[in-house]
PDB file of all heavy atoms in Angstrom:
ATOM      1  N   CYS E 863      -8.435   9.575  20.658  1.00 40.00           N
ATOM      2  CA  CYS E 863      -7.163  10.278  20.543  1.00 40.00           C
ATOM      3  C   CYS E 863      -7.412  11.672  20.012  1.00 40.00           C
ATOM      4  O   CYS E 863      -8.515  11.995  19.583  1.00 40.00           O
ATOM      5  CB  CYS E 863      -6.192   9.515  19.656  1.00 40.00           C
ATOM      6  SG  CYS E 863      -6.580   9.646  17.921  1.00 40.00           S
ATOM      7  N   HIS E 864      -6.407  12.509  20.016  1.00 44.00           N
ATOM      8  CA  HIS E 864      -6.568  13.898  19.576  1.00 44.00           C
ATOM      9  C   HIS E 864      -6.066  14.104  18.155  1.00 44.00           C
ATOM     10  O   HIS E 864      -5.810  15.222  17.754  1.00 44.00           O
ATOM     11  CB  HIS E 864      -5.812  14.820  20.545  1.00 44.00           C
ATOM     12  CG  HIS E 864      -6.330  14.732  21.940  1.00 44.00           C
ATOM     13  ND1 HIS E 864      -7.552  15.243  22.318  1.00 44.00           N
ATOM     14  CD2 HIS E 864      -5.790  14.143  23.052  1.00 44.00           C
ATOM     15  CE1 HIS E 864      -7.744  15.008  23.616  1.00 44.00           C
ATOM     16  NE2 HIS E 864      -6.692  14.334  24.075  1.00 44.00           N
ATOM     17  N   CYS E 865      -5.883  12.986  17.402  1.00 43.00           N
ATOM     18  CA  CYS E 865      -5.414  13.106  16.015  1.00 43.00           C
ATOM     19  C   CYS E 865      -6.538  13.570  15.128  1.00 43.00           C
ATOM     20  O   CYS E 865      -7.721  13.394  15.435  1.00 43.00           O
ATOM     21  CB  CYS E 865      -4.889  11.761  15.516  1.00 43.00           C
ATOM     22  SG  CYS E 865      -3.588  11.079  16.544  1.00 43.00           S
ATOM     23  N   GLU E 866      -6.168  14.150  14.006  1.00 47.00           N
ATOM     24  CA  GLU E 866      -7.159  14.530  13.016  1.00 47.00           C
ATOM     25  C   GLU E 866      -7.706  13.264  12.359  1.00 47.00           C
ATOM     26  O   GLU E 866      -6.945  12.357  12.025  1.00 47.00           O
ATOM     27  CB  GLU E 866      -6.530  15.431  11.949  1.00 47.00           C
ATOM     28  CG  GLU E 866      -6.153  16.810  12.452  1.00 47.00           C
ATOM     29  CD  GLU E 866      -7.362  17.619  12.859  1.00 47.00           C
ATOM     30  OE1 GLU E 866      -8.423  17.450  12.224  1.00 47.00           O
ATOM     31  OE2 GLU E 866      -7.262  18.402  13.820  1.00 47.00           O
ATOM     32  N   PRO E 867      -9.022  13.154  12.160  1.00 47.00           N
ATOM     33  CA  PRO E 867      -9.573  11.951  11.509  1.00 47.00           C
ATOM     34  C   PRO E 867      -9.088  11.843  10.071  1.00 47.00           C
ATOM     35  O   PRO E 867      -8.840  12.837   9.402  1.00 47.00           O
ATOM     36  CB  PRO E 867     -11.092  12.175  11.580  1.00 47.00           C
ATOM     37  CG  PRO E 867     -11.265  13.644  11.751  1.00 47.00           C
ATOM     38  CD  PRO E 867     -10.073  14.114  12.544  1.00 47.00           C
ATOM     39  N   VAL E 868      -8.960  10.602   9.611  1.00 42.00           N
ATOM     40  CA  VAL E 868      -8.519  10.322   8.246  1.00 42.00           C
ATOM     41  C   VAL E 868      -9.730  10.035   7.382  1.00 42.00           C
ATOM     42  O   VAL E 868     -10.602   9.251   7.767  1.00 42.00           O
ATOM     43  CB  VAL E 868      -7.570   9.103   8.229  1.00 42.00           C
ATOM     44  CG1 VAL E 868      -7.126   8.809   6.810  1.00 42.00           C
ATOM     45  CG2 VAL E 868      -6.357   9.373   9.115  1.00 42.00           C
ATOM     46  N   THR E 869      -9.820  10.670   6.242  1.00 43.00           N
ATOM     47  CA  THR E 869     -10.918  10.432   5.311  1.00 43.00           C
ATOM     48  C   THR E 869     -10.423   9.671   4.112  1.00 43.00           C
ATOM     49  O   THR E 869      -9.223   9.513   3.894  1.00 43.00           O
ATOM     50  CB  THR E 869     -11.531  11.773   4.846  1.00 43.00           C
ATOM     51  OG1 THR E 869     -10.553  12.444   4.048  1.00 43.00           O
ATOM     52  CG2 THR E 869     -11.908  12.636   6.036  1.00 43.00           C
ATOM     53  N   CYS E 870     -11.374   9.202   3.281  1.00 38.00           N
ATOM     54  CA  CYS E 870     -11.007   8.475   2.061  1.00 38.00           C
ATOM     55  C   CYS E 870     -10.147   9.346   1.156  1.00 38.00           C
ATOM     56  O   CYS E 870      -9.278   8.856   0.440  1.00 38.00           O
ATOM     57  CB  CYS E 870     -12.253   8.010   1.319  1.00 38.00           C
ATOM     58  SG  CYS E 870     -13.078   6.608   2.090  1.00 38.00           S
ATOM     59  N   GLN E 871     -10.413  10.660   1.176  1.00 42.00           N
ATOM     60  CA  GLN E 871      -9.654  11.534   0.298  1.00 42.00           C
ATOM     61  C   GLN E 871      -8.194  11.621   0.718  1.00 42.00           C
ATOM     62  O   GLN E 871      -7.320  11.974  -0.072  1.00 42.00           O
ATOM     63  CB  GLN E 871     -10.276  12.942   0.290  1.00 42.00           C
ATOM     64  CG  GLN E 871     -11.602  13.033  -0.462  1.00 42.00           C
ATOM     65  CD  GLN E 871     -12.761  12.456   0.340  1.00 42.00           C
ATOM     66  OE1 GLN E 871     -12.639  12.246   1.548  1.00 42.00           O
ATOM     67  NE2 GLN E 871     -13.881  12.203  -0.328  1.00 42.00           N
ATOM     68  N   ASP E 872      -7.899  11.303   1.998  1.00 44.00           N
ATOM     69  CA  ASP E 872      -6.527  11.375   2.478  1.00 44.00           C
ATOM     70  C   ASP E 872      -5.705  10.143   2.113  1.00 44.00           C
ATOM     71  O   ASP E 872      -4.496  10.141   2.261  1.00 44.00           O
ATOM     72  CB  ASP E 872      -6.505  11.530   3.995  1.00 44.00           C
ATOM     73  CG  ASP E 872      -7.163  12.836   4.425  1.00 44.00           C
ATOM     74  OD1 ASP E 872      -6.924  13.841   3.743  1.00 44.00           O
ATOM     75  OD2 ASP E 872      -7.901  12.811   5.412  1.00 44.00           O
ATOM     76  N   ILE E 873      -6.389   9.075   1.691  1.00 42.00           N
ATOM     77  CA  ILE E 873      -5.691   7.826   1.412  1.00 42.00           C
ATOM     78  C   ILE E 873      -5.269   7.805  -0.047  1.00 42.00           C
ATOM     79  O   ILE E 873      -6.102   7.754  -0.941  1.00 42.00           O
ATOM     80  CB  ILE E 873      -6.597   6.619   1.717  1.00 42.00           C
ATOM     81  CG1 ILE E 873      -7.051   6.666   3.172  1.00 42.00           C
ATOM     82  CG2 ILE E 873      -5.870   5.316   1.424  1.00 42.00           C
ATOM     83  CD1 ILE E 873      -8.106   5.648   3.506  1.00 42.00           C
ATOM     84  N   VAL E 874      -3.991   7.907  -0.306  1.00 42.00           N
ATOM     85  CA  VAL E 874      -3.470   7.917  -1.673  1.00 42.00           C
ATOM     86  C   VAL E 874      -2.879   6.541  -1.974  1.00 42.00           C
ATOM     87  O   VAL E 874      -1.965   6.103  -1.280  1.00 42.00           O
ATOM     88  CB  VAL E 874      -2.379   8.990  -1.853  1.00 42.00           C
ATOM     89  CG1 VAL E 874      -1.850   8.959  -3.276  1.00 42.00           C
ATOM     90  CG2 VAL E 874      -2.951  10.355  -1.500  1.00 42.00           C
ATOM     91  N   PRO E 875      -3.417   5.819  -2.959  1.00 51.00           N
ATOM     92  CA  PRO E 875      -2.886   4.479  -3.240  1.00 51.00           C
ATOM     93  C   PRO E 875      -1.429   4.546  -3.685  1.00 51.00           C
ATOM     94  O   PRO E 875      -1.024   5.454  -4.396  1.00 51.00           O
ATOM     95  CB  PRO E 875      -3.791   3.979  -4.384  1.00 51.00           C
ATOM     96  CG  PRO E 875      -4.354   5.217  -5.011  1.00 51.00           C
ATOM     97  CD  PRO E 875      -4.472   6.209  -3.895  1.00 51.00           C
ATOM     98  N   THR E 876      -0.656   3.606  -3.210  1.00 59.00           N
ATOM     99  CA  THR E 876       0.741   3.533  -3.590  1.00 59.00           C
ATOM    100  C   THR E 876       0.868   2.888  -4.958  1.00 59.00           C
ATOM    101  O   THR E 876       0.374   1.784  -5.169  1.00 59.00           O
ATOM    102  CB  THR E 876       1.532   2.699  -2.567  1.00 59.00           C
ATOM    103  OG1 THR E 876       1.375   3.291  -1.279  1.00 59.00           O
ATOM    104  CG2 THR E 876       3.002   2.643  -2.941  1.00 59.00           C
ATOM    105  N   PRO E 877       1.492   3.577  -5.930  1.00 65.00           N
ATOM    106  CA  PRO E 877       1.635   2.959  -7.256  1.00 65.00           C
ATOM    107  C   PRO E 877       2.486   1.706  -7.165  1.00 65.00           C
ATOM    108  O   PRO E 877       3.438   1.630  -6.384  1.00 65.00           O
ATOM    109  CB  PRO E 877       2.333   4.055  -8.084  1.00 65.00           C
ATOM    110  CG  PRO E 877       2.952   4.959  -7.065  1.00 65.00           C
ATOM    111  CD  PRO E 877       2.096   4.908  -5.860  1.00 65.00           C
ATOM    112  N   GLN E 878       2.142   0.730  -7.973  1.00 86.00           N
ATOM    113  CA  GLN E 878       2.847  -0.546  -7.936  1.00 86.00           C
ATOM    114  C   GLN E 878       3.887  -0.641  -9.044  1.00 86.00           C
ATOM    115  O   GLN E 878       3.641  -0.235 -10.172  1.00 86.00           O
ATOM    116  CB  GLN E 878       1.853  -1.698  -8.080  1.00 86.00           C
ATOM    117  CG  GLN E 878       1.025  -1.935  -6.824  1.00 86.00           C
ATOM    118  CD  GLN E 878       0.306  -3.275  -6.890  1.00 86.00           C
ATOM    119  OE1 GLN E 878      -0.006  -3.775  -7.955  1.00 86.00           O
ATOM    120  NE2 GLN E 878       0.048  -3.852  -5.737  1.00 86.00           N
ATOM    121  N   ILE E 879       5.053  -1.157  -8.696  1.00 89.00           N
ATOM    122  CA  ILE E 879       6.107  -1.485  -9.646  1.00 89.00           C
ATOM    123  C   ILE E 879       6.383  -2.973  -9.467  1.00 89.00           C
ATOM    124  O   ILE E 879       6.734  -3.421  -8.381  1.00 89.00           O
ATOM    125  CB  ILE E 879       7.383  -0.659  -9.396  1.00 89.00           C
ATOM    126  CG1 ILE E 879       7.062   0.840  -9.530  1.00 89.00           C
ATOM    127  CG2 ILE E 879       8.479  -1.057 -10.367  1.00 89.00           C
ATOM    128  CD1 ILE E 879       8.218   1.741  -9.139  1.00 89.00           C
ATOM    129  N   ILE E 880       6.176  -3.745 -10.521  1.00 89.00           N
ATOM    130  CA  ILE E 880       6.223  -5.202 -10.416  1.00 89.00           C
ATOM    131  C   ILE E 880       7.424  -5.728 -11.192  1.00 89.00           C
ATOM    132  O   ILE E 880       7.553  -5.510 -12.397  1.00 89.00           O
ATOM    133  CB  ILE E 880       4.925  -5.836 -10.965  1.00 89.00           C
ATOM    134  CG1 ILE E 880       3.708  -5.290 -10.201  1.00 89.00           C
ATOM    135  CG2 ILE E 880       4.972  -7.348 -10.862  1.00 89.00           C
ATOM    136  CD1 ILE E 880       2.392  -5.751 -10.751  1.00 89.00           C
ATOM    137  N   LEU E 881       8.308  -6.445 -10.496  1.00 87.00           N
ATOM    138  CA  LEU E 881       9.464  -7.091 -11.110  1.00 87.00           C
ATOM    139  C   LEU E 881       9.147  -8.565 -11.328  1.00 87.00           C
ATOM    140  O   LEU E 881       8.293  -9.131 -10.647  1.00 87.00           O
ATOM    141  CB  LEU E 881      10.695  -6.962 -10.208  1.00 87.00           C
ATOM    142  CG  LEU E 881      11.505  -5.663 -10.291  1.00 87.00           C
ATOM    143  CD1 LEU E 881      10.687  -4.481  -9.806  1.00 87.00           C
ATOM    144  CD2 LEU E 881      12.788  -5.777  -9.475  1.00 87.00           C
ATOM    145  N   PRO E 882       9.847  -9.226 -12.272  1.00 88.00           N
ATOM    146  CA  PRO E 882       9.697 -10.680 -12.411  1.00 88.00           C
ATOM    147  C   PRO E 882      10.075 -11.371 -11.108  1.00 88.00           C
ATOM    148  O   PRO E 882      11.070 -11.009 -10.469  1.00 88.00           O
ATOM    149  CB  PRO E 882      10.684 -11.030 -13.535  1.00 88.00           C
ATOM    150  CG  PRO E 882      10.888  -9.750 -14.276  1.00 88.00           C
ATOM    151  CD  PRO E 882      10.782  -8.668 -13.252  1.00 88.00           C
ATOM    152  N   MET E 883       9.270 -12.342 -10.708  1.00 85.00           N
ATOM    153  CA  MET E 883       9.482 -12.995  -9.422  1.00 85.00           C
ATOM    154  C   MET E 883       9.735 -14.482  -9.593  1.00 85.00           C
ATOM    155  O   MET E 883       9.226 -15.121 -10.515  1.00 85.00           O
ATOM    156  CB  MET E 883       8.257 -12.792  -8.514  1.00 85.00           C
ATOM    157  CG  MET E 883       7.857 -11.332  -8.327  1.00 85.00           C
ATOM    158  SD  MET E 883       9.120 -10.326  -7.507  1.00 85.00           S
ATOM    159  CE  MET E 883       8.975 -10.939  -5.840  1.00 85.00           C
ATOM    160  N   VAL E 884      10.536 -15.028  -8.667  1.00 76.00           N
ATOM    161  CA  VAL E 884      10.748 -16.473  -8.596  1.00 76.00           C
ATOM    162  C   VAL E 884       9.730 -17.037  -7.623  1.00 76.00           C
ATOM    163  O   VAL E 884       9.722 -16.669  -6.446  1.00 76.00           O
ATOM    164  CB  VAL E 884      12.166 -16.799  -8.105  1.00 76.00           C
ATOM    165  CG1 VAL E 884      12.340 -18.299  -7.974  1.00 76.00           C
ATOM    166  CG2 VAL E 884      13.210 -16.225  -9.054  1.00 76.00           C
ATOM    167  N   PRO E 885       8.821 -17.904  -8.072  1.00 62.00           N
ATOM    168  CA  PRO E 885       7.799 -18.425  -7.157  1.00 62.00           C
ATOM    169  C   PRO E 885       8.405 -19.282  -6.060  1.00 62.00           C
ATOM    170  O   PRO E 885       9.423 -19.937  -6.255  1.00 62.00           O
ATOM    171  CB  PRO E 885       6.901 -19.258  -8.086  1.00 62.00           C
ATOM    172  CG  PRO E 885       7.763 -19.598  -9.247  1.00 62.00           C
ATOM    173  CD  PRO E 885       8.722 -18.456  -9.424  1.00 62.00           C
ATOM    174  N   ALA E 886       7.763 -19.258  -4.892  1.00 42.00           N
ATOM    175  CA  ALA E 886       8.251 -20.038  -3.744  1.00 42.00           C
ATOM    176  C   ALA E 886       7.717 -21.455  -3.848  1.00 42.00           C
ATOM    177  O   ALA E 886       6.737 -21.823  -3.211  1.00 42.00           O
ATOM    178  CB  ALA E 886       7.801 -19.388  -2.445  1.00 42.00           C
ATOM    179  N   VAL E 887       8.362 -22.261  -4.686  1.00 45.00           N
ATOM    180  CA  VAL E 887       7.884 -23.624  -4.903  1.00 45.00           C
ATOM    181  C   VAL E 887       8.514 -24.607  -3.930  1.00 45.00           C
ATOM    182  O   VAL E 887       7.985 -25.672  -3.678  1.00 45.00           O
ATOM    183  CB  VAL E 887       8.170 -24.065  -6.350  1.00 45.00           C
ATOM    184  CG1 VAL E 887       7.363 -23.251  -7.323  1.00 45.00           C
ATOM    185  CG2 VAL E 887       9.658 -23.955  -6.673  1.00 45.00           C
ATOM    186  N   VAL E 888       9.692 -24.261  -3.379  1.00 46.00           N
ATOM    187  CA  VAL E 888      10.367 -25.173  -2.459  1.00 46.00           C
ATOM    188  C   VAL E 888       9.789 -25.053  -1.056  1.00 46.00           C
ATOM    189  O   VAL E 888       9.458 -26.034  -0.401  1.00 46.00           O
ATOM    190  CB  VAL E 888      11.881 -24.889  -2.442  1.00 46.00           C
ATOM    191  CG1 VAL E 888      12.564 -25.812  -1.449  1.00 46.00           C
ATOM    192  CG2 VAL E 888      12.457 -25.074  -3.842  1.00 46.00           C
ATOM    193  N   ALA E 889       9.658 -23.840  -0.580  1.00 50.00           N
ATOM    194  CA  ALA E 889       9.113 -23.597   0.749  1.00 50.00           C
ATOM    195  C   ALA E 889       7.982 -22.577   0.632  1.00 50.00           C
ATOM    196  O   ALA E 889       8.240 -21.385   0.498  1.00 50.00           O
ATOM    197  CB  ALA E 889      10.196 -23.085   1.686  1.00 50.00           C
TER     198      ALA E 889
END
């Protein structure tokens, strides 16, 4: 393809925001 190549420096990790979760114990 004619896209610009992606390097490791271009990959910015998405910061995580974690809420309390209800585990899927039923299904």
